Amino acid sequence: MALVLGIETSCDETAVGIVDGRKLLANVISSSVEQHVRFGGVVPEVASRAHLEAMPQVIKQALKTARVSIKDIDAIAVTAGPGLIGALLVGVSSASALSLALNKPLYGVNHLSAHIAVDQLDTEKQITPTIALLVSGGHSSILKVKNLVNDVQVLGATIDDAAGEAFDKIARVMDLGFPGGPVIDRVAKEGNFDSINFPRGLTGTVESANHKFDFSFSGLKTAVARYIEQTPNYRKADVAASFQEAVVDVLISKSVSACIESGIDNLVIAGGVAANSRLRQLAQERCQTSQIKLSIPPAALCTDNGAMVAALGSLAISEGVQPSQIGIEANSAASLTQVVW
Ligand code: KG4
Ligand code: ZN
């Protein structure tokens, strides 16, 4: 079993996780989100500087929490893409320096695959083959995963906004703040999810013939904005709940269809939006009805963290994947085919 330290800096979280094989030992996160709130979105330069400042302390705290010394670490894993290039560079440089100083292997890994890998921590269950719904701030895809490190097929993806992006934009329209997902989740609890019938993108007969497992959230976004404009005394809680329902309804129904069509009865849901309480509830209900085994990481491990990076590094080691070269280049636009650099 390998003791792996994972570093994540692709967006606004400076995060370090430590795992021993599949066992989670530490997960420390320092977020610069407060510094971005007044801009209504993450400012790349501000995020990069915050990573530089936070990194040493976050690493120290993770080692302390895991009760291990830096010399005990067997391998370093780091998010090498996708993400903000300046932010990624801070993580990749830190990980490369550690790898050189400790003379331990380096694994540059894909952030999106890492979101899925975190589901394997602290459990013996075998999740593959599985259908994976990956829903984050920048991505929304349905994947057929036979082996997370070398056999992942994209069945569908968003043709415009990502699910998390839709949450963030709608929260902005309603002046609820940033990031939008957690606040919409909270406000929606006071609302009625079937009070407004917002459109479900790419679910009509004609559209779904060409885009069976694809998503589109831009029509929904426009419909919500128009509703707000035309309804002066609208109830925020009802709009939040109805909007959220339209998103999660489509996400779950297409994922369940992908399971049925491919004859795979495992579904993993991962990424920041998987922290959504209504998504978790609806997925549970629908998977039970369709006899699909559902797995969603604990909410705290769905949003960006270092444990997921360590988890993917650990999986790569157990699959016999070769380490990365020192000098690997971060790739801000990495696709799911580039799992380990
Ligand atoms: O995976 P993640 O932490 O970062 C990226 O890789 O993008 O996902 C962040 C996204 C944001 O858009 C955020 O609004 C959304 O996940 N999110 C949520 C919730 N918590 C975070 N969306 C809906 N409900 C939530 N509870
Ligand atoms: Zn993420």
Side-chain angles (χ1 to χ4, degrees):
M1 286 248 247
L3 200 58
V4 184
L5 181 141
I7 297 179
E8 155 62 35
T9 62
S10 68
C11 193
D12 58 337
E13 272 89 21
T14 313
V16 174
I18 299 176
V19 303
D20 184 8
R22 290 171 74 150
K23 190 170 162 14
L24 176 61
L25 300 183
N27 185 34
V28 177
I29 300 173
S30 164
S31 174
S32 62
V33 68
E34 291 301 325
Q35 298 179 47
H36 308 288
V37 168
R38 68 195 172 102
F39 302 106
V42 176
V43 183
E45 285 305 316
V46 175
S48 306
R49 180 176 291 268
H51 288 313
L52 266 178
E53 284 166 3
M55 186 62 72
Q57 197 49 41
V58 175
I59 293 175
K60 274 186 205 151
Q61 187 58 45
L63 291 166
K64 193 171 166 198
T65 308
R67 294 170 186 272
V68 296
S69 146
I70 189 85
K71 295 194 198 83
D72 301 329
I73 298 293
D74 297 311
I76 314 290
V78 61
T79 297
L84 303 170
I85 191 67
L88 289 168
L89 283 173
V90 179
V92 170
S93 310
S94 308
S96 306
L98 273 179
S99 162
L100 272 173
L102 300 169
N103 195 23
K104 292 291 160 67
L106 172 73
Y107 289 84
V109 301
N110 187 302
H111 178 86
L112 305 171
S113 318
H115 269 302
I116 302 171
V118 81
D119 190 56
Q120 302 196 10
L121 289 181
D122 290 339
T123 166
E124 290 304 312
K125 75 183 167 218
Q126 227 33 51
I127 56 157
T128 49
T130 188
I131 295 298
L133 169 66
L134 178 65
V135 270
S136 69
H139 292 81
S140 301
S141 321
I142 295 184
L143 315 166
K144 187 188 211 171
V145 181
K146 288 197 179 145
N147 181 323
L148 193 53
V149 294
N150 58 28
D151 193 349
V152 177
Q153 188 190 342
V154 180
L155 300 183
T158 180
I159 62 166
D160 40 56
D161 293 345
E165 203 177 348
F167 273 91
D168 295 336
K169 287 180 177 169
I170 293 304
R172 199 174 308 151
V173 171
M174 289 201 284
D175 278 332
L176 290 174
F178 171 83
V183 61
I184 289 193
D185 193 347
R186 198 167 59 243
V187 171
K189 290 199 166 76
E190 309 296 322
N192 179 355
F193 66 73
D194 54 20
S195 55
I196 312 154
N197 189 16
F198 286 129
R200 269 67 170 157
L202 302 182
T203 55
T205 332
V206 179
E207 292 170 312
S208 57
N210 297 326
H211 292 284
K212 204 188 292 180
F213 301 127
D214 291 331
F215 302 111
S216 166
F217 299 107
S218 72
L220 169 62
K221 196 179 63 192
T222 309
V224 176
R226 192 173 307 134
Y227 177 88
I228 289 172
E229 256 171 46
Q230 294 172 350
T231 321
N233 294 319
Y234 74 91
R235 272 199 80 220
K236 282 190 180 178
D238 285 342
V239 175
S242 303
F243 157 75
Q244 175 176 271
E245 195 68 11
V247 175
V248 304
D249 179 18
V250 177
L251 292 176
I252 306 301
S253 51
K254 292 206 176 204
S255 304
V256 167
S257 301
C259 287
I260 294 169
E261 183 160 306
S262 56
I264 293 177
D265 64 355
N266 286 317
L267 174 63
V268 173
I269 307 185
V273 180
N276 185 269
S277 60
R278 178 60 184 154
L279 177 142
R280 299 172 82 92
Q281 182 190 16
L282 199 64
Q284 205 81 51
E285 287 168 18
R286 299 223 182 132
C287 285
Q288 200 161 12
T289 309
S290 301
Q291 298 187 316
I292 292 165
K293 295 190 248 7
L294 173 68
S295 190
I296 314 182
L301 293 178
C302 288
T303 43
D304 290 350
N305 62 81
M308 66 191 220
V309 179
L312 181 52
S314 177
L315 181 69
I317 292 170
S318 68
E319 293 284 330
V321 176
Q322 287 303 305
S324 309
Q325 301 289 323
I326 294 290
I328 50 166
E329 285 186 22
N331 180 358
S332 63
S335 76
L336 271 156
T337 50
Q338 187 175 17
V339 181
V340 180
W341 269 235

